[in-house]
Amino acid sequence: MLRFIIPAHNEERLIGATIEALHAAARACGEPYEIIAVDDDSTDATAEAAVRAGARVVSVKARQIAAVRNAGAREACGGRFVFVDADTIMTPAALRDVIAAFAGGAVGGGAPVRFDSPVPLWGRVGIGFWLMVQRVAGLASGCLLFATREAFEACGGFDPGLFVAEDVELSRRLRQQGRF
């Protein structure tokens, strides 16, 4: 069973669409799943929006994304985690690729980011450079990062000492656990 884990802080406006896309992708793939939204001390109606969209909500007061992601992993039962940012829309095609990677023996992986609205030239250049670095170095970032529970726990999960790039650091450590 897939466990989608969504870290969220003040994401009331976007989290519903993220969760609906996860439901649609999982149903299209015929995959059993659970969606866990980890509400990190939001001051808006993030938790209520997540429940309305069909997620189980776990509340934390961490204000640190690595700790929030780890809290979701602790709550998840099962062996396959898919971490998705609260503003990310997963397509059925992307989820099919995740499922195929797991079936092929991958201990983890990720997907490149693609924006759904216009990005200024400087942003496109920066994103293009980062995507090239990710591809060459075999790294992933948090908009979509997946791992087996075994590999996730073996490498210690997300590093709560990091306030940025905790997702990239986890992908580096996951690569040491097996095929990434």
Side-chain angles (χ1 to χ4, degrees):
M1 179 179 272
L2 292 174
R3 306 298 184 187
F4 295 106
I5 300 167
I6 308 168
H9 174 75
N10 290 344
E11 296 286 356
E12 173 186 8
R13 194 172 62 80
L14 300 171
I15 198 166
T18 296
I19 293 168
E20 289 169 14
L22 292 173
H23 284 302
R27 289 178 185 140
C29 294
E31 192 71 23
Y33 67 98
E34 175 185 32
I35 300 173
I36 301 168
V38 186
D39 179 35
D40 186 15
D41 203 24
S42 294
T43 58
D44 66 3
T46 294
E48 294 84 353
V51 168
R52 273 194 312 275
R56 177 163 65 104
V57 173
V58 174
S59 295
V60 299
K61 292 183 182 224
R63 297 299 296 128
Q64 203 273 349
I65 194 159
V68 175
R69 293 179 198 267
N70 287 337
R74 280 191 303 277
E75 288 292 322
C77 299
R80 298 183 298 165
F81 299 155
V82 182
F83 297 92
V84 180
D85 283 352
D87 60 354
T88 296
I89 301 299
M90 177 174 286
T91 65
L95 184 55
R96 278 191 281 281
D97 289 344
V98 169
I99 293 166
F102 278 134
V107 300
V113 65
R114 186 176 70 209
F115 290 89
D116 57 359
S117 59
V119 176
L121 177 61
W122 63 266
R124 289 193 307 271
V125 169
I127 292 164
F129 175 75
W130 174 241
L131 291 174
M132 181 186 68
V133 168
Q134 280 186 294
R135 190 174 323 241
V136 169
L139 300 171
S141 56
C143 62
L144 172 60
L145 182 65
F146 60 92
T148 64
R149 175 185 287 279
E150 182 178 84
F152 181 82
E153 289 177 349
C155 69
F158 291 96
D159 182 347
L162 297 176
F163 285 84
V164 296
E166 79 294 336
D167 46 357
V168 175
E169 173 58 19
L170 176 68
S171 71
R172 186 191 64 75
R173 287 182 284 118
L174 282 170
R175 283 185 28 239
Q176 297 169 354
Q177 299 298 314
R179 193 167 80 72
F180 185 78

